[in-house]
Amino acid sequence: MGENYPREWELDALLRDGTPAHVRPIRPEDEDGLVAFHSRLSAQTIYRRFFSPRPVLPPKDVHRFTNVDYRHRMALVALIGGEMAGVARYDGKAASDEAEVAFVIEDRHQGRGLGSLLLEHLAAAARERGITSFFADTMADNRAMLGVFRDAGFVAKRSFADGLVHLEFPIASTPEAVEAMGERERRASVQSMAPLLRPRSIAVVGASRRPGSIGHEILRNLLLHEFTGPVFPVNPEATSIAGVAAFATIGDVPGEVDLAIVTVPAPEVHPVVDACGRKGVRAVLVVSSGFAETGSDVDVTSEQELVRMARGHGMRLVGPNAMGVLSTMPEVSMDATFLSVFPQPGRVALLAQSGALGTAVLQQAVRQGIGFSSFVSVGNRADVSGNDLLQYWEADGDTDVILLYLETFGNPRKFARIAQRVARSKPIVVVKSGRHLGNDVTFDALFRQAGVIRVDTVAELFDVGLVLAHQPIPRGPRLAILGNASGPGVLAADAVSSAGVVLALVEGGNPVDLPADAGSEEYGARVAALLAEDAVDAVLVIGTPFIADAADDITFAVAAASATRADKPVIAAYLGGLPAPGVVAGTEGELHPIPIFPFPEQAVRAFGRAAAYASWRNAPEGRIVAPSGIDLTAARVLAVRVCDSTPQGRWLDEGETASLLAAVGLVVDDVATIDDGITAVVGLFDDKTFGPLLSFGLAGVGADLLDDRAARIVPLTDVDAAELVRAVRLAPLLFGHGGRSPIDEAALLDVLARVSALAEGVPELAELELSPVVTSPRGIAIGGARVRLASPPAGPGPLLRRLR
């Protein structure tokens, strides 16, 4: 490989059927591979690519195709199983920002989405090199190639001549192109997770006769819970284990294997995974430890090689250092863990990064009566990650609620994009550890922007999960509190404001008091009456130990009453431990299940999280605003010129700053003051974890003392921008607090939209600060600005389709 070879463009991505493919720039040493690739093409495919019969590539063409400068001429190849399966290339025109594009896919791999994948990455590489549009000539009957351009989301102009179709299209990353790419990624991720969570057959490599060993316990659990497909123990020293015929190697197993569970010691894992690949296994779960979790450079490298090996064979890999997976659905009934607990079937999916925590979580779930559709312990997340599973569970008809325990993020920007889409249909509840490590305010902003419900503890993860899994999404935050003792009712009312909940306006006052000896009939009647009131969105029922009727009678009466308004949540807190906290009452017959909490404050907090999620979900999704008068081409030309002359980047001088901002319609007036204005600061900075973040806050000592700043990931939608302005604690000063006139909010939001557009259109923008930004009822004035540009990291951006 030469010095100019762009190694950063080597990556793995998923095809339409979920198979990993390796994509990289072409190399001079690919000559033999290209000749072999061409020899496997059908005559029709060759004719459509070259418009003439060409059964053999001439040596001069082979040399030209494999030797490119990686700038004006670029080619990407896709490898499946180590063999070339597709090639895409562009050839730039001299002194032009246009390039001709062409690609060819081997016949047996056509229809798997390989053309779209290569085109996406080739367009991204071209944009990085200053190319703005592609053109191509293709035969009119080449529907496959025409479909690739169409499906990629690019809008092409067509013309016809001499039986050929001439296409021209800009390759800018438009919302339509990003949406099309995201949909292809979603479908591919769903397909790639099927062998893991809905396998048709399983092999346990390292299965043992010794009880207590991991291999033995996993095999035992698969048999005990009656996995619906065949299970194959693999052990070279046994002919049968637990009454099941064993095989010496994975290659000896008859028939196909969807999932291989690897429990052998770390030094044996690589040859086992390689053998699984040669067998045609579709997914591997590596329970074995001794990889990157040790912190050793050698073990980190070993884990990376393991991933390369798995993907080279077209397999997805969970782990290493994973506790296992399970699926409770009757058509699967898979317990591929070494735990002694198996949760009841339900409609909650759970991901845990920590195996130890996953164990505790499942045990607690059993105690609280939470049913799961599936559970995955991802271990070191070397390959399969939360982003993959989110997209699988989004499409899974057996899952309604998604719970995540996360320690780190592989790609926070992609997580935000995926989660924002998933959360529109299924709530996502997250515990993110590591608050003490800093950057937590930004994580909060990411979760809020994506509609993810963030909780502080694992206990709260269950509390919120109980409400969302067993009750409808609330219409609003108005809560009626009903109980037979004033003290607990007052505690619940006190918890309302901090939980973002509103006390419903109920005749006679709220909380609603029942007699201390109230029985099941009184509870049931009062719950039904409260649910019938339009001013009530949900009801919290509190019971105390001295209730007259048996506790179960009251819980069933409440459950029966809740059925009168199945669109409104009902939750309960029974003090004294009867019924037990977390137990879902009313599961018999047609009664509605009611989540039970040990204390009313817990119940209020859990409802508050659900109500806040409902508010986000019911709000408009928002749209990315394209303000008028923006010339991103001029802004990018200026930025490229600066970075070409100063690759490490620099702060712009006053004239350059004014020119850059003017390109997006922002004018700096260094004498800007308004006597009744409120001074704010608008900033943009490149966070090492999240990428470009747009920040907003008020200026002054008070704001500095409170560290009163808020941030959002760009690009901002109109809804994001409005929420950003209101996210700071001093925001009421902008909207009429103390009798002041409200500022011109539309003008402020326009400034934020223009900064967001600049950040999206100019990747060289490393840092920006507009200060002071004087806001008033009459408009906005920008009193000063600072801008720093720097060459962005080379290679695919965080949103491009790629695996970890």
Side-chain angles (χ1 to χ4, degrees), residues 193-215:
M193 291 297 98
L196 173 67
L197 289 170
R198 292 182 180 270
R200 294 166 298 180
S201 56
I202 298 176
V204 182
V205 185
S208 169
R209 288 197 182 107
R210 180 168 55 85
S213 65
I214 291 177

Side-chain angles (χ1 to χ4, degrees), residues 153 209 293 379 480 658 726 746 758:
R209 288 197 182 107
E293 79 278 1
R726 287 165 174 77
L758 183 64

